[in-house]
Every structure is written in structure tokens, then in C-alpha cells.
Amino acid sequence: MTKRHFLSLLDLTPAELQKLILRGIELKAQHQCGENKDLFQGKVLGMIFEKSSTRTRVSFESAMLHGGGGAIFLSPNDTQLGRGEPVEDTARVLSGMVDIVMIRTFHQETLEKFAQYASIPLINGLTDNFHPCQLLADMQTYYEHRGSIQGKRVTWIGDGFNMCHSFINAARQYDFELRIACPDSHRPDANILAAAGDRIQVGNDPQWAASDSDLVVTDVWSSMGHEGQQDNRANIFAPFQVNNEVMRRAHKDALFMHCLPAHRGEEVTTEVIDGQQSVVWEEAGNRLHTQKALLEFLLNTV
Ligand code: CP
Ligand code: NVA
């Protein structure tokens, strides 16, 4: 069998992605009965974090522990990566010591280089380009509440950055319509957009984007790495808040999602994120289950 990586949602076929959702649901039910114990017996996950994390770290580490395996947290501060050891050398060394690696870093190219030199599977735990693991949890959460997302209308409001790019890829792979409302200065990458074809529409009016929507999603206005631009961004993004007025444009049974961490009063109001339509806690919790399904898939296809 050939080694597979998960650097973006496009690395798996739509059928494989759908299977992961169903398997995530199955593993969740088994976890609730105290099962999952032998999934990763004797397996070790290496986790390189060049940016902060709560959910990604804890969900991956817990997934491995529940399955009888282990996970090693590696930060550039405490490893030779931070002192300039090349990623291609790190990839070859880790390939001899662990079974699978997850990296959270800035540039997608760092992941691609690691993947090129590694002989083990690699998972994207978030880059400036994509956050595919989050989308697995989001798609599982939608499926659990509303069934198939195929043909539904999804609304992205906010920064055309990593999460927005992953929603564009998800629209291709899970076959839904995506309306994006973002400032003209923060549109998604033109190539990622072009590759997704006419199922994606981009504008700068949140009310238009949310009209008749089945799922409304947003993310922080200043992602990790944008800290110095925070004040300017707060002004630019102020018209792109998800509030009750925006949610009223969506279908009555529309869901609200946010990958978290959230800033109440900025990209989303307290009423919306803590309201009836919000599924953010399940969405965060599902990271554990879909990532177990992903780890199982990648470890078993090596
Ligand atoms: N959503 C998400 O990836 O959260 P963390 O940054 O806490 O991992
Ligand atoms: N867009 C956010 C997502 C965090 C999970 C960031 O990159 O900081």
C-alpha cells in the first residue's frame, strides 16, 4: 500500500472523506462505551507545533492515548528545529522513530518539504493556507445534526484565510454551495478559489451571503501571525460580524459554527455563539473522533 498524507482536503477522495465522517461517528459511539482501546496499540504520533493550540493538541494527544498509543509534543523552542535543523533532516530522523507526524506551522511549503522527505504519513494541523482537520470535525457535526451537506448553502463571513480556504476545498469535496462575504482587501487566494469553480460566490455583504443559508461560519479577524495588524483589522472587519441580524437571513434551522478560539463581540456576538443555533462545543469535541478516524486511515494505508 502507498503512504498517504493529509496536507489538505484534496489529498483524500470525496468517498474517503465521507467514510471518515461515518467512521468518526462510529468511533464516537464506541468511545462513549469505553471502547477504542486497541486502535493505536504501539503507535506513536509526533506533533510539531510552531503556533499555539488547545484543541488540536489535546484532541490528537487524547486520540492516541485512548487508542493505546502515545503522542510526543515537539515545539521549536525545545527541539533542534528552533535552532535551524532543516525540516528535511527532521523528517528523515522522525520517520525512524515515530509512526505518523502532525505539524502546525506557517507555510504550506514546510509541510510539503517534510512530506517529501518522510517515509511516514503527515497531517496538516493548520497552516496559513489550510486547516483540514477542523473541516473533518465540522462536516461530522453538520452530518450529525442535518444529514448530508451535499447541495446545501454554506456561508463564510470574515477573513479569506486558512479556514475560509478549507471551506472552499470542502465545498469541492463534499459538494455544497459556498457564499463568502469578506472585505475586498482580505479575499481568499485566487488560485484556491478558481480551482473550486462556480459553486463558490464571493461578495462583501454578509446579509447577502447569509440569505437562505443552511450553515453560517466565521473565524477570528486576526489569526495567529497577524497579531501586529489587530487594530487595523478590527476596523476593516467590523461590518463582518455574525450577529442576530445576519442569522435571521439564514434558514430558521441553520447552524452556526466557529473553529474556536472565538472573540465574543468581534467576529460573533454572544447571542449567536451561545445561542440555539450554535454547535461550537460539539464541533470542538468532534475533533477527537474524526481525527481518530483520520489517524486510523493513514496508519492503515502505509
Ligand atoms: N480550532 C483549533 O484548531 O483550535 P486550536 O488552535 O486550539 O488547536
Ligand atoms: N484562523 C485561525 C484558526 C485557529 C484555529 C488562525 O490561524 O489563528
Side-chain angles (χ1 to χ4, degrees):
M1 276 188 272
T2 41
K3 167 175 53 94
R4 304 281 295 272
H5 298 297
F6 189 57
L7 308 191
S8 88
L9 286 172
L10 304 182
D11 285 333
L12 269 59
T13 65
E16 287 168 339
L17 289 169
Q18 190 56 35
K19 261 197 215 159
L20 286 192
I21 303 308
L22 300 179
R23 181 66 177 145
I25 291 170
E26 196 171 59
L27 289 170
K28 184 175 181 174
Q30 288 174 2
H31 174 65
Q32 283 156 359
C33 305
E35 294 171 16
N36 287 187
K37 288 198 174 63
D38 300 321
L39 279 177
F40 308 125
Q41 206 77 50
K43 301 288 184 192
V44 178
L45 166 72
M47 307 188 295
I48 299 174
F49 280 97
E50 295 187 344
K51 297 181 180 183
S52 305
S53 169
T54 298
R55 282 144 285 266
T56 304
R57 178 180 176 180
V58 176
S59 54
F60 270 113
E61 198 162 331
S62 296
M64 291 306 295
L65 293 175
H66 292 163
I72 303 173
F73 174 76
L74 301 158
S75 99
N77 295 340
D78 323 303
T79 61
Q80 300 292 3
L81 266 173
R83 296 181 61 250
E85 183 166 17
V87 72
E88 46 273 50
D89 291 0
T90 308
R92 285 177 283 198
V93 171
L94 291 188
S95 293
M97 298 179 178
V98 300
D99 300 281
I100 185 162
V101 168
M102 185 240 81
I103 304 184
R104 169 169 285 198
T105 186
F106 293 86
H107 306 295
Q108 191 75 8
E109 295 73 27
T110 307
L111 284 190
E112 283 161 9
K113 194 177 275 182
F114 191 105
Q116 188 186 337
Y117 286 89
S119 56
I120 53 176
L122 176 63
I123 297 171
N124 180 354
L126 180 129
T127 60
D128 288 353
N129 286 49
F130 301 114
H131 196 3
C133 291
Q134 181 67 51
L135 262 292
L136 294 181
D138 294 3
M139 293 298 103
Q140 175 174 335
T141 308
Y142 189 89
Y143 190 89
E144 287 173 326
H145 280 267
R146 299 281 183 264
S148 173
I149 199 164
Q150 186 173 30
K152 302 286 184 184
R153 178 176 292 174
V154 177
T155 302
W156 174 267
I157 297 177
D159 197 2
F161 195 52
N162 45 16
M163 276 300 300
C164 179
H165 292 159
S166 278
F167 264 94
I168 295 172
N169 281 348
R172 291 172 65 174
Q173 298 293 71
Y174 290 95
D175 193 19
F176 56 79
E177 182 196 341
L178 180 65
R179 282 193 172 188
I180 299 170
C182 58
D184 292 337
S185 52
H186 292 81
R187 283 170 63 93
D189 178 272
N191 293 325
I192 295 172
L193 206 49
D198 60 8
R199 55 165 66 80
I200 320 284
Q201 290 178 277
V202 187
N204 53 19
D205 178 1
Q207 311 266 340
W208 157 80
S211 298
D212 299 323
S213 180
D214 298 292
L215 168 64
V216 179
V217 194
T218 190
D219 185 16
V220 292
W221 291 343
S222 287
S223 285
M224 289 181 277
H226 297 157
E227 287 81 5
Q229 311 164 18
Q230 231 149 333
D231 289 348
N232 192 31
R233 280 175 169 263
N235 290 327
I236 294 171
F237 283 98
F240 294 86
Q241 183 186 65
V242 178
N243 48 36
N244 279 341
E245 203 184 327
V246 169
M247 290 304 292
R248 268 197 291 274
R249 297 293 177 124
H251 286 148
K252 275 199 167 44
D253 68 346
L255 300 176
F256 170 77
M257 291 190 192
H258 189 311
C259 64
L260 306 178
H263 295 86
R264 288 172 175 76
E266 293 185 20
E267 74 273 8
V268 61
T269 58
T270 302
E271 291 75 34
V272 171
I273 196 167
D274 296 323
Q276 293 290 318
Q277 288 166 284
S278 174
V279 289
V280 296
W281 310 122
E282 286 165 73
E283 184 188 359
N286 278 339
R287 295 288 302 275
L288 176 67
H289 312 294
T290 43
Q291 286 164 200
K292 279 182 186 168
L294 175 69
L295 288 162
E296 180 187 55
F297 174 82
L298 294 175
L299 286 167
N300 292 332
T301 50
V302 176

